Amino acid sequence: MEERAAHHVQSLERGLAVIRAFDAGAPELTLSDVARVTGLTRAAARRFLLTLTDLGYVRTDGKYFSLTARVLELGYAFLSSMTLPEVAQPHLERLSAEVRESSSVSVLEGTDIVYVARVAVSRIMTVTINVGTRFPAHATSMGHVLLAGLERPALEKYLAETALDRLTARTLTEPEALRAELDAVREQGWALVDQELEEGLRSAAAPIRDRRGTVVAAINVSTHASRTTRESVRDEMVPPLLAAAKRIEDDLAVTPAQAHRRG
């Protein structure tokens, strides 16, 4: 069993686990479902669910439980403190207008990328992408950029501990193959992922660096494979993508809050 620090509050950990039990694939859960997903006893799960209901984060019809919109406040407090989404949005709008495709900015959180800004031109995935949406980093262009920007010890830890799940026939699932791809991304300064997250989805991404040169976020453009080839993405979309990344970096460099806000 993992040893916990003296300050660790187990009840807080369990309460957050209950909230995380709900997702797009399971928006409604029974008490038994929550207990099973979290590993809590039914009695403990019931106490947490009823407490969250009293606080307005969960609703119930007596059998099924679901999250309320108030849960968004938890994420909004983080997002609203960030300089990056505010700075990036106009540049995403300009980029999307130029290439006529959707564009996004994300940050790395654990083994996932998390969207913090987005301009959607058309829906090209089976799932809806919004601010706060998460995807596995190993299967996305922004994830490749963000992983390539990690310090070597952090990257090796990620490769050693992360399950590289196969999402399509093209997903890189071998650590050596992913490491080689990240080396190439680091060398060329951008990433192209071709249908590794979902069939038919192509995307290119570039790093966004802070004033110290550290990769703090990624920006991408995404398109459907039926509309573009790998070559057209590289020749027609990557140059404006890199230009947008540079403009965001320039704006962040002169934004006072950038020095002390995550971005």
Side-chain angles (χ1 to χ4, degrees):
M1 180 178 294
E2 183 181 352
E3 185 175 345
R4 301 296 191 183
H7 61 258
H8 188 79
V9 181
Q10 190 176 55
S11 59
L12 176 59
E13 178 186 21
R14 290 175 173 176
L16 292 173
V18 169
I19 292 175
R20 290 196 300 268
F22 299 89
D23 58 26
E28 293 185 325
L29 297 172
T30 64
L31 172 58
S32 296
D33 292 333
V34 173
R36 174 178 50 79
V37 172
T38 61
L40 296 171
T41 65
R42 281 175 53 87
R46 181 176 182 275
R47 288 197 301 273
F48 283 111
L49 285 167
L50 293 181
T51 298
L52 289 167
T53 300
D54 291 343
L55 294 173
Y57 294 109
V58 168
R59 67 169 63 90
T60 181
D61 62 4
K63 179 179 180 181
Y64 288 97
F65 294 85
S66 60
L67 299 180
T68 71
R70 189 170 188 181
V71 171
L72 296 174
E73 295 176 0
L74 302 176
Y76 181 76
F78 163 71
L79 292 173
S80 64
S81 70
M82 296 176 65
T83 301
L84 178 60
E86 183 179 322
V87 170
Q89 195 66 31
H91 298 292
L92 289 180
E93 292 170 2
R94 175 177 170 181
L95 175 61
S96 288
E98 185 173 357
V99 300
R100 298 181 181 179
E101 299 288 358
S102 299
S103 62
S104 309
V105 168
S106 72
V107 296
L108 186 65
E109 185 171 291
T111 61
D112 295 336
I113 63 166
V114 180
Y115 284 71
V116 298
R118 179 165 171 80
V119 172
V121 173
S122 61
R123 182 168 175 176
I124 57 177
M125 291 191 66
T126 56
V127 297
T128 301
I129 301 175
N130 298 303
V131 170
T133 295
R134 309 172 71 100
F135 289 123
H138 74 282
T140 65
S141 61
M142 289 190 287
H144 285 193
V145 163
L146 292 165
L147 292 172
L150 292 176
E151 296 289 338
R152 183 62 65 174
L155 176 58
E156 293 305 319
K157 184 175 187 294
Y158 168 88
L159 292 172
E161 298 179 357
T162 303
L164 305 178
D165 295 330
R166 185 177 299 281
L167 304 178
T168 75
R170 299 170 184 253
T171 309
L172 296 179
T173 59
E174 295 298 325
E176 283 302 320
L178 181 57
R179 184 184 289 107
E181 175 63 20
L182 297 179
D183 287 342
V185 168
R186 196 177 300 110
E187 179 68 23
Q188 71 183 7
W190 53 274
L192 172 61
V193 166
D194 187 6
Q195 304 179 79
E196 294 185 37
L197 178 66
E198 183 173 295
E199 294 290 347
L201 177 68
R202 286 196 177 108
S203 65
I208 297 172
R209 302 177 186 274
D210 64 15
R211 64 186 67 184
R212 297 182 299 274
T214 302
V215 176
V216 293
I219 179 174
N220 88 335
V221 289
S222 53
T223 182
H224 199 277
S226 64
R227 296 200 296 266
T228 58
T229 63
R230 291 176 60 94
E231 291 71 26
S232 64
V233 171
R234 180 193 63 209
D235 297 340
E236 299 170 19
M237 296 186 183
V238 169
L241 171 70
L242 294 174
K246 179 62 166 59
R247 290 193 296 269
I248 293 173
E249 290 176 346
D250 290 345
D251 281 358
L252 287 175
V254 296
T255 302
Q258 193 269 340
H260 63 271
R261 290 181 181 173
R262 179 179 177 182

